[in-house]
Short mmCIF file of all heavy atoms in Angstrom, two decimals:
data_model
loop_
_atom_site.label_atom_id
_atom_site.label_comp_id
_atom_site.label_asym_id
_atom_site.label_seq_id
_atom_site.Cartn_x
_atom_site.Cartn_y
_atom_site.Cartn_z
N VAL A 905 -1.97 -5.86 3.75
CA VAL A 905 -0.66 -5.87 4.37
C VAL A 905 -0.18 -4.39 4.58
O VAL A 905 -0.55 -3.45 3.90
CB VAL A 905 0.35 -6.61 3.50
CG1 VAL A 905 0.06 -8.05 3.45
CG2 VAL A 905 0.49 -5.99 2.21
N ASN A 906 0.69 -4.16 5.59
CA ASN A 906 1.19 -2.92 5.99
C ASN A 906 2.61 -2.75 5.71
O ASN A 906 3.45 -3.36 6.37
CB ASN A 906 0.93 -2.77 7.50
CG ASN A 906 1.29 -1.29 8.02
OD1 ASN A 906 1.81 -0.48 7.26
ND2 ASN A 906 1.18 -1.12 9.31
N LEU A 907 2.86 -2.03 4.69
CA LEU A 907 4.40 -1.81 4.39
C LEU A 907 5.16 -0.75 5.22
O LEU A 907 6.24 -0.61 4.98
CB LEU A 907 4.42 -1.48 2.81
CG LEU A 907 4.03 -2.41 1.86
CD1 LEU A 907 4.25 -1.96 0.40
CD2 LEU A 907 4.84 -3.71 2.00
N GLU A 908 4.44 -0.19 6.14
CA GLU A 908 5.13 0.70 7.07
C GLU A 908 5.68 -0.04 8.22
O GLU A 908 6.30 0.36 9.03
CB GLU A 908 4.07 1.75 7.56
CG GLU A 908 3.68 2.75 6.50
CD GLU A 908 2.86 3.85 7.01
OE1 GLU A 908 2.47 3.86 8.22
OE2 GLU A 908 2.45 4.78 6.23
N ASP A 909 5.31 -1.46 8.37
CA ASP A 909 5.63 -2.25 9.51
C ASP A 909 6.54 -3.31 8.97
O ASP A 909 6.30 -3.99 8.06
CB ASP A 909 4.40 -2.83 10.06
CG ASP A 909 4.68 -3.53 11.52
OD1 ASP A 909 5.76 -4.00 11.62
OD2 ASP A 909 3.75 -3.51 12.23
N ASN A 910 7.63 -3.46 9.68
CA ASN A 910 8.66 -4.38 9.17
C ASN A 910 8.30 -5.82 9.38
O ASN A 910 9.07 -6.79 8.98
CB ASN A 910 10.15 -4.19 9.94
CG ASN A 910 9.98 -4.30 11.37
OD1 ASN A 910 9.60 -3.43 12.08
ND2 ASN A 910 10.31 -5.45 11.85
N SER A 911 7.21 -6.05 10.11
CA SER A 911 6.67 -7.44 10.35
C SER A 911 6.30 -8.07 8.90
O SER A 911 6.16 -9.28 8.75
CB SER A 911 5.48 -7.49 11.13
OG SER A 911 4.43 -6.72 10.62
N ILE A 912 6.24 -7.28 7.88
CA ILE A 912 5.82 -7.80 6.49
C ILE A 912 6.97 -8.83 6.04
O ILE A 912 6.62 -9.75 5.44
CB ILE A 912 5.89 -6.67 5.45
CG1 ILE A 912 5.45 -7.22 4.12
CG2 ILE A 912 7.05 -5.82 5.39
CD1 ILE A 912 4.08 -7.82 4.04
N PHE A 913 8.22 -8.57 6.61
CA PHE A 913 9.28 -9.55 6.18
C PHE A 913 8.98 -11.04 6.74
O PHE A 913 9.59 -11.96 6.15
CB PHE A 913 10.49 -9.12 6.65
CG PHE A 913 11.10 -7.83 6.00
CD1 PHE A 913 11.20 -6.62 6.69
CD2 PHE A 913 11.37 -7.85 4.69
CE1 PHE A 913 11.67 -5.55 6.07
CE2 PHE A 913 11.78 -6.71 3.98
CZ PHE A 913 12.02 -5.52 4.67
N SER A 914 8.21 -11.12 7.79
CA SER A 914 7.91 -12.42 8.20
C SER A 914 6.59 -13.02 7.96
O SER A 914 6.14 -13.96 8.49
CB SER A 914 8.12 -12.42 9.82
OG SER A 914 7.25 -11.54 10.44
N SER A 915 5.92 -12.17 7.04
CA SER A 915 4.61 -12.69 6.52
C SER A 915 4.63 -13.62 5.43
O SER A 915 5.47 -13.33 4.48
CB SER A 915 3.79 -11.32 6.21
OG SER A 915 2.62 -11.71 5.53
N PRO A 916 3.73 -14.57 5.34
CA PRO A 916 3.81 -15.42 4.15
C PRO A 916 3.33 -14.72 2.90
O PRO A 916 3.43 -15.23 1.77
CB PRO A 916 2.73 -16.55 4.55
CG PRO A 916 1.93 -15.94 5.64
CD PRO A 916 2.89 -15.07 6.34
N TRP A 917 2.85 -13.47 3.10
CA TRP A 917 2.37 -12.70 1.93
C TRP A 917 3.34 -11.74 1.44
O TRP A 917 3.12 -10.89 0.57
CB TRP A 917 1.08 -11.84 2.45
CG TRP A 917 -0.15 -12.72 2.65
CD1 TRP A 917 -0.38 -13.51 3.83
CD2 TRP A 917 -1.15 -12.99 1.75
NE1 TRP A 917 -1.57 -14.17 3.66
CE2 TRP A 917 -2.09 -13.92 2.36
CE3 TRP A 917 -1.46 -12.64 0.48
CZ2 TRP A 917 -3.20 -14.48 1.89
CZ3 TRP A 917 -2.67 -13.10 -0.18
CH2 TRP A 917 -3.57 -14.08 0.59
N TYR A 918 4.58 -11.81 1.97
CA TYR A 918 5.74 -10.97 1.53
C TYR A 918 5.95 -11.27 0.16
O TYR A 918 6.30 -10.42 -0.80
CB TYR A 918 6.95 -11.08 2.44
CG TYR A 918 8.15 -10.31 1.96
CD1 TYR A 918 8.10 -8.89 1.95
CD2 TYR A 918 9.18 -11.06 1.40
CE1 TYR A 918 9.25 -8.17 1.49
CE2 TYR A 918 10.31 -10.27 0.96
CZ TYR A 918 10.37 -8.91 1.06
OH TYR A 918 11.34 -8.16 0.51
N TYR A 919 5.98 -12.59 -0.29
CA TYR A 919 6.16 -12.98 -1.60
C TYR A 919 4.85 -13.12 -2.27
O TYR A 919 3.91 -13.88 -1.86
CB TYR A 919 6.83 -14.30 -1.70
CG TYR A 919 8.45 -14.07 -1.40
CD1 TYR A 919 8.96 -14.49 -0.07
CD2 TYR A 919 9.27 -13.53 -2.32
CE1 TYR A 919 10.24 -14.29 0.15
CE2 TYR A 919 10.63 -13.42 -2.04
CZ TYR A 919 11.11 -13.81 -0.76
OH TYR A 919 12.43 -13.50 -0.42
N VAL A 920 4.51 -12.51 -3.43
CA VAL A 920 3.37 -12.67 -4.22
C VAL A 920 3.53 -13.87 -5.24
O VAL A 920 4.66 -14.12 -5.61
CB VAL A 920 2.92 -11.34 -4.93
CG1 VAL A 920 2.63 -10.32 -3.95
CG2 VAL A 920 4.12 -10.87 -5.84
N LYS A 921 2.45 -14.53 -5.64
CA LYS A 921 2.50 -15.62 -6.43
C LYS A 921 1.73 -15.45 -7.66
O LYS A 921 1.05 -14.55 -7.86
CB LYS A 921 2.06 -16.75 -5.53
CG LYS A 921 2.87 -17.11 -4.26
CD LYS A 921 2.29 -18.30 -3.54
CE LYS A 921 3.16 -18.60 -2.34
NZ LYS A 921 2.65 -19.74 -1.61
N PRO A 922 1.86 -16.44 -8.64
CA PRO A 922 1.14 -16.29 -9.84
C PRO A 922 -0.34 -16.04 -9.66
O PRO A 922 -1.00 -16.61 -8.85
CB PRO A 922 1.44 -17.63 -10.61
CG PRO A 922 2.68 -18.11 -10.00
CD PRO A 922 2.65 -17.65 -8.61
N ASN A 923 -0.86 -15.13 -10.52
CA ASN A 923 -2.26 -14.77 -10.61
C ASN A 923 -2.64 -13.90 -9.40
O ASN A 923 -3.86 -13.52 -9.34
CB ASN A 923 -3.21 -15.91 -10.77
CG ASN A 923 -2.96 -16.80 -11.89
OD1 ASN A 923 -2.68 -16.25 -13.00
ND2 ASN A 923 -2.81 -18.08 -11.78
N ASP A 924 -1.76 -13.55 -8.52
CA ASP A 924 -2.06 -12.56 -7.51
C ASP A 924 -2.42 -11.12 -8.10
O ASP A 924 -1.87 -10.82 -9.15
CB ASP A 924 -0.90 -12.29 -6.62
CG ASP A 924 -0.75 -13.49 -5.56
OD1 ASP A 924 -1.62 -14.36 -5.50
OD2 ASP A 924 0.10 -13.39 -4.57
N ILE A 925 -3.33 -10.47 -7.37
CA ILE A 925 -3.65 -9.05 -7.80
C ILE A 925 -3.24 -8.23 -6.60
O ILE A 925 -3.63 -8.37 -5.48
CB ILE A 925 -5.17 -8.94 -8.10
CG1 ILE A 925 -5.62 -9.81 -9.29
CG2 ILE A 925 -5.43 -7.50 -8.42
CD1 ILE A 925 -7.17 -9.84 -9.53
N ILE A 926 -2.49 -7.22 -6.91
CA ILE A 926 -2.04 -6.21 -5.94
C ILE A 926 -2.67 -4.89 -6.22
O ILE A 926 -2.59 -4.28 -7.33
CB ILE A 926 -0.50 -5.97 -6.03
CG1 ILE A 926 0.25 -7.40 -5.85
CG2 ILE A 926 0.02 -5.01 -4.99
CD1 ILE A 926 1.77 -7.31 -6.13
N LEU A 927 -3.43 -4.40 -5.24
CA LEU A 927 -4.14 -3.17 -5.39
C LEU A 927 -3.64 -2.14 -4.37
O LEU A 927 -3.67 -2.39 -3.14
CB LEU A 927 -5.64 -3.44 -5.08
CG LEU A 927 -6.57 -2.17 -5.08
CD1 LEU A 927 -6.46 -1.48 -6.42
CD2 LEU A 927 -8.03 -2.52 -4.69
N VAL A 928 -3.05 -1.00 -4.83
CA VAL A 928 -2.53 -0.01 -3.94
C VAL A 928 -3.67 1.18 -4.00
O VAL A 928 -3.91 1.69 -4.97
CB VAL A 928 -1.22 0.58 -4.51
CG1 VAL A 928 -0.71 1.66 -3.52
CG2 VAL A 928 -0.31 -0.59 -4.60
N SER A 929 -4.25 1.34 -2.78
CA SER A 929 -5.36 2.32 -2.66
C SER A 929 -4.87 3.70 -2.61
O SER A 929 -3.72 4.06 -2.24
CB SER A 929 -6.20 1.96 -1.48
OG SER A 929 -6.81 0.66 -1.58
N ARG A 930 -5.73 4.71 -2.99
CA ARG A 930 -5.37 6.13 -2.98
C ARG A 930 -5.84 6.68 -1.69
O ARG A 930 -7.04 6.53 -1.18
CB ARG A 930 -6.06 6.72 -4.13
CG ARG A 930 -5.80 8.20 -4.30
CD ARG A 930 -6.62 8.73 -5.56
NE ARG A 930 -6.30 10.24 -5.72
CZ ARG A 930 -5.41 10.76 -6.34
NH1 ARG A 930 -4.50 9.89 -6.98
NH2 ARG A 930 -5.24 12.12 -6.55
N ASP A 931 -4.98 7.54 -1.10
CA ASP A 931 -5.43 8.33 0.08
C ASP A 931 -6.16 9.69 -0.44
O ASP A 931 -5.52 10.62 -0.73
CB ASP A 931 -4.16 8.69 0.89
CG ASP A 931 -4.52 9.35 2.13
OD1 ASP A 931 -5.62 9.82 2.34
OD2 ASP A 931 -3.66 9.33 3.06
N TYR A 932 -7.38 9.49 -0.55
CA TYR A 932 -8.16 10.60 -1.17
C TYR A 932 -8.11 11.79 -0.28
O TYR A 932 -8.12 12.92 -0.86
CB TYR A 932 -9.69 10.10 -1.41
CG TYR A 932 -9.76 9.24 -2.49
CD1 TYR A 932 -9.91 7.91 -2.38
CD2 TYR A 932 -9.79 9.65 -3.92
CE1 TYR A 932 -10.02 6.90 -3.38
CE2 TYR A 932 -9.91 8.73 -4.89
CZ TYR A 932 -9.97 7.41 -4.70
OH TYR A 932 -10.17 6.49 -5.66
N ALA A 933 -8.16 11.69 0.98
CA ALA A 933 -7.98 12.95 1.89
C ALA A 933 -6.77 13.65 1.68
O ALA A 933 -6.80 14.93 1.54
CB ALA A 933 -8.26 12.49 3.27
N LYS A 934 -5.65 12.95 1.58
CA LYS A 934 -4.41 13.48 1.41
C LYS A 934 -4.31 14.23 0.02
O LYS A 934 -3.82 15.36 -0.23
CB LYS A 934 -3.22 12.45 1.55
CG LYS A 934 -1.80 13.07 1.28
CD LYS A 934 -0.81 12.00 1.48
CE LYS A 934 0.54 12.48 1.14
NZ LYS A 934 1.57 11.36 1.28
N ALA A 935 -4.84 13.47 -0.96
CA ALA A 935 -4.78 14.01 -2.30
C ALA A 935 -5.55 15.22 -2.49
O ALA A 935 -5.15 16.17 -3.18
CB ALA A 935 -5.19 12.91 -3.28
N ASP A 936 -6.74 15.23 -1.86
CA ASP A 936 -7.66 16.37 -1.96
C ASP A 936 -7.07 17.59 -1.19
O ASP A 936 -7.07 18.72 -1.68
CB ASP A 936 -9.00 16.05 -1.22
CG ASP A 936 -10.04 17.24 -1.41
OD1 ASP A 936 -10.25 17.55 -2.51
OD2 ASP A 936 -10.48 17.65 -0.34
N LYS A 937 -6.32 17.34 -0.11
CA LYS A 937 -5.64 18.34 0.63
C LYS A 937 -4.62 19.02 -0.10
O LYS A 937 -4.47 20.19 -0.25
CB LYS A 937 -5.17 17.90 2.00
CG LYS A 937 -4.47 18.89 2.88
CD LYS A 937 -4.10 18.33 4.24
CE LYS A 937 -3.45 19.31 5.07
NZ LYS A 937 -3.01 18.82 6.45
N GLU A 938 -3.77 18.16 -0.75
CA GLU A 938 -2.64 18.68 -1.67
C GLU A 938 -3.19 19.44 -2.82
O GLU A 938 -2.72 20.43 -3.20
CB GLU A 938 -1.84 17.44 -2.16
CG GLU A 938 -1.04 16.84 -1.09
CD GLU A 938 0.09 17.82 -0.42
OE1 GLU A 938 0.74 18.42 -1.28
OE2 GLU A 938 0.22 17.80 0.76
N GLN A 939 -4.38 18.99 -3.38
CA GLN A 939 -4.91 19.73 -4.58
C GLN A 939 -5.46 21.00 -4.10
O GLN A 939 -5.12 22.03 -4.87
CB GLN A 939 -6.00 18.90 -5.11
CG GLN A 939 -6.64 19.39 -6.38
CD GLN A 939 -7.72 18.49 -6.96
OE1 GLN A 939 -8.24 17.63 -6.38
NE2 GLN A 939 -7.98 18.64 -8.32
N LYS A 940 -6.09 21.09 -2.98
CA LYS A 940 -6.58 22.36 -2.56
C LYS A 940 -5.44 23.39 -2.20
O LYS A 940 -5.50 24.58 -2.40
CB LYS A 940 -7.33 22.13 -1.23
CG LYS A 940 -8.84 21.48 -1.57
CD LYS A 940 -9.63 21.30 -0.28
CE LYS A 940 -10.89 20.78 -0.50
NZ LYS A 940 -11.75 20.46 0.64
N ARG A 941 -4.43 22.75 -1.56
CA ARG A 941 -3.18 23.62 -1.22
C ARG A 941 -2.66 24.21 -2.55
O ARG A 941 -2.20 25.42 -2.62
CB ARG A 941 -2.16 22.94 -0.49
CG ARG A 941 -0.94 23.71 0.00
CD ARG A 941 -0.07 22.81 0.94
NE ARG A 941 0.59 21.77 0.05
CZ ARG A 941 1.71 22.05 -0.46
NH1 ARG A 941 2.32 23.17 -0.45
NH2 ARG A 941 2.38 21.03 -1.16
N ALA A 942 -2.39 23.33 -3.55
CA ALA A 942 -1.89 23.83 -4.77
C ALA A 942 -2.70 24.96 -5.51
O ALA A 942 -2.25 25.91 -6.01
CB ALA A 942 -1.65 22.61 -5.72
#
């Protein structure tokens, strides 16, 4: 699902249900760029 798009509000996946697993992935390119900049 795309949380940048307001169409999430009309998606049946907007509500999570028992035993669901939510995985939020890491933007490794962005994190690496920020680390190098720091």
Side-chain angles (χ1 to χ4, degrees):
V905 299
N906 182 1
L907 291 183
E908 294 185 358
D909 193 326
N910 63 275
S911 63
I912 182 64
F913 290 117
S914 58
S915 169
W917 293 81
Y918 176 69
Y919 285 102
V920 293
K921 297 180 180 180
N923 299 319
D924 278 1
I925 299 173
I926 302 170
L927 176 61
V928 182
S929 299
R930 180 180 179 87
D931 188 337
Y932 287 98
K934 179 181 176 181
D936 185 59
K937 184 176 180 180
E938 288 296 317
Q939 186 177 18
K940 288 180 179 178
R941 185 174 70 86

